[in-house]
Amino acid sequence: MKIFKDKHILQKEISKTKGISFVPTMGGLHKGHISLIKQSKKSKFKTLVSIFVNPKQFNKKSDYRSYPRSTKKDLKKLKNLKIDYLYIPTFKDIYGFKPKEKVFIDKFSKKLCGRFRRGHFEGVLNVVNRFLEIIKPRYIYLGKKDYQQLYLIKKHIEKRKIKSKIIECKTIRENNGVALSTRNLNLNDNQMKIASKIYYYLYNLKKRIKKNYNLFNPNRVKKDLRDLGACKIDYLENYNIENFKKINRQNKKFNIFIAYYIKNTRLIDNI
Ligand code: AMP
């Protein structure tokens, strides 16, 4: 595994390869990230993982500061996985140049997390646009756990006619159903149990409302979730996962999208 901190040295190395399969992360690596990396390793291109906690996508400084970091452990995991390249850029390496492409922000960025984390997706697309320009990957591996993010990156790539192909990767869950997330490191055992109950509640709800959508009563659901231990619910909405249209009748393709807090930890999922 070769480690790079400087984009020019990285680009020199990349120019010697047939192409790159790229897995962007913010570190705090868990089995979700690892499944993306394993899929990337199956491609015919060299696997490059990046670790960069992007300050521009955090709408609160305190959230940026408390975001879990575990670089030493991450390095060990990546070495064991035998990835080809690791890119750990500095802020200046990423933001010290003007990208050729302008970021395209689809209107769906205003919904769901965009309503509650102002500037979040602008920050995500800004950094992804820069990574795409530096690395020019053949493939980019993204998790469906962050479905809205994946959708907005897809729209940017389409609009700007960027030649990288997105590989959509399924959400990896703990045995108790909770989607793996770096933020789970901030949950204690009891809070993890709450997250698990909320997952099963939503899993069963989806089964029921798939059969009869009239059974969906958002206010009732929110109350039940609060009773289970969710402190604050930013949103609970159903969308068609292909075109992000809202659901108002029987439709088999929807997911339930949720963002909620357990104490100070904000969790998102789509089920
Ligand atoms: P992050 O480090 O949180 O920015 O995530 C890096 C990538 O890993 C993103 O494409 C995420 O969607 C993906 N990811 C995060 N958690 C999971 C998970 N539980 N299952 C699958 N992919 C995930």
Side-chain angles (χ1 to χ4, degrees), residues 228-253:
L228 287 175
C231 305
K232 182 167 149 283
I233 299 165
D234 274 352
Y235 59 78
L236 174 97
E237 290 175 46
N238 302 335
Y239 281 97
N240 178 303
I241 49 175
E242 272 156 21
N243 54 20
F244 268 118
K245 289 216 166 97
K246 266 219 161 170
I247 310 299
N248 47 26
R249 63 191 152 78
Q250 198 163 334
N251 185 319
K252 299 253 182 270
K253 286 239 155 147

Side-chain angles (χ1 to χ4, degrees), residues 16-233:
K16 294 186 220 153
T17 71
K18 275 192 302 190
I20 294 291
S21 285
F22 176 41
V23 186
T25 82
M26 297 207 296
L29 300 182
H30 51 64
K31 286 184 215 145
H33 297 116
I34 288 169
S35 85
L36 268 59
I37 294 168
K38 285 192 172 159
Q39 285 185 66
S40 165
K41 284 200 64 187
K42 284 189 198 144
S43 83
K44 55 179 185 262
F45 302 115
K46 298 270 190 201
T47 289
L48 188 160
V49 175
S50 66
I51 297 181
F52 181 60
V53 185
N54 172 30
K56 289 193 189 272
Q57 71 187 69
F58 289 83
N59 50 328
K60 281 189 207 145
K61 274 215 174 108
S62 57
D63 190 27
Y64 172 66
R65 277 198 295 265
S66 67
Y67 192 81
R69 290 159 171 89
S70 55
T71 312
K72 263 196 186 159
K73 281 189 191 159
D74 291 351
L75 281 173
K76 218 170 156 189
K77 287 179 189 167
L78 294 171
K79 259 187 208 152
N80 287 338
L81 284 163
K82 298 193 170 62
I83 64 158
D84 300 290
Y85 306 127
L86 169 62
Y87 179 34
I88 313 188
T90 58
F91 180 86
K92 194 166 164 256
D93 213 45
I94 295 293
Y95 288 108
F97 70 100
K98 189 170 181 296
K100 290 192 192 90
E101 292 295 351
K102 217 176 134 219
V103 166
F104 171 74
I105 303 181
D106 186 86
K107 62 180 186 311
F108 195 68
S109 63
K110 300 278 178 276
K111 305 276 186 193
L112 299 175
C113 282
R115 268 177 62 215
F116 294 89
R117 298 185 72 192
R118 294 196 65 197
H120 169 64
F121 288 121
E122 284 79 356
V124 169
L125 290 163
N126 188 352
V127 79
V128 168
N129 187 39
R130 286 162 188 273
F131 271 125
L132 292 174
E133 195 159 314
I134 293 168
I135 297 163
K136 298 192 172 49
R138 302 290 281 266
Y139 296 133
I140 174 167
Y141 293 75
L142 299 172
K144 291 186 189 176
K145 152 90 175 23
D146 302 281
Y147 215 108
Q148 188 178 15
Q149 166 178 289
L150 190 159
Y151 180 84
L152 294 172
I153 294 173
K154 193 195 263 179
K155 292 287 157 195
H156 168 71
I157 286 181
E158 275 170 20
K159 187 79 176 181
R160 297 293 177 238
K161 300 191 172 63
I162 295 169
K163 288 197 186 82
S164 307
K165 182 175 160 41
I166 294 180
I167 310 293
E168 300 187 9
C169 304
K170 73 168 191 197
T171 300
I172 305 298
R173 297 181 181 279
E174 302 278 8
N175 290 336
N176 64 9
V178 178
L180 281 142
S181 163
T182 304
R183 290 178 189 274
N184 294 356
L185 290 169
N186 289 337
L187 300 177
N188 64 30
D189 288 354
N190 190 40
Q191 292 168 335
M192 198 63 178
K193 278 186 193 145
I194 295 173
S196 173
K197 282 183 193 158
I198 289 177
Y199 167 74
Y200 282 111
Y201 178 96
L202 294 172
Y203 176 83
N204 289 319
L205 172 74
K206 183 175 174 184
K207 267 209 222 154
R208 274 190 288 127
I209 63 178
K210 245 182 164 179
K211 286 192 195 125
N212 179 0
Y213 200 76
N214 294 328
L215 294 175
F216 182 54
N217 175 345
N219 289 332
R220 175 71 208 271
V221 173
K222 283 183 192 168
K223 186 187 173 299
D224 288 349
L225 294 177
R226 275 189 216 104
D227 290 346
L228 287 175
C231 305
K232 182 167 149 283
I233 299 165

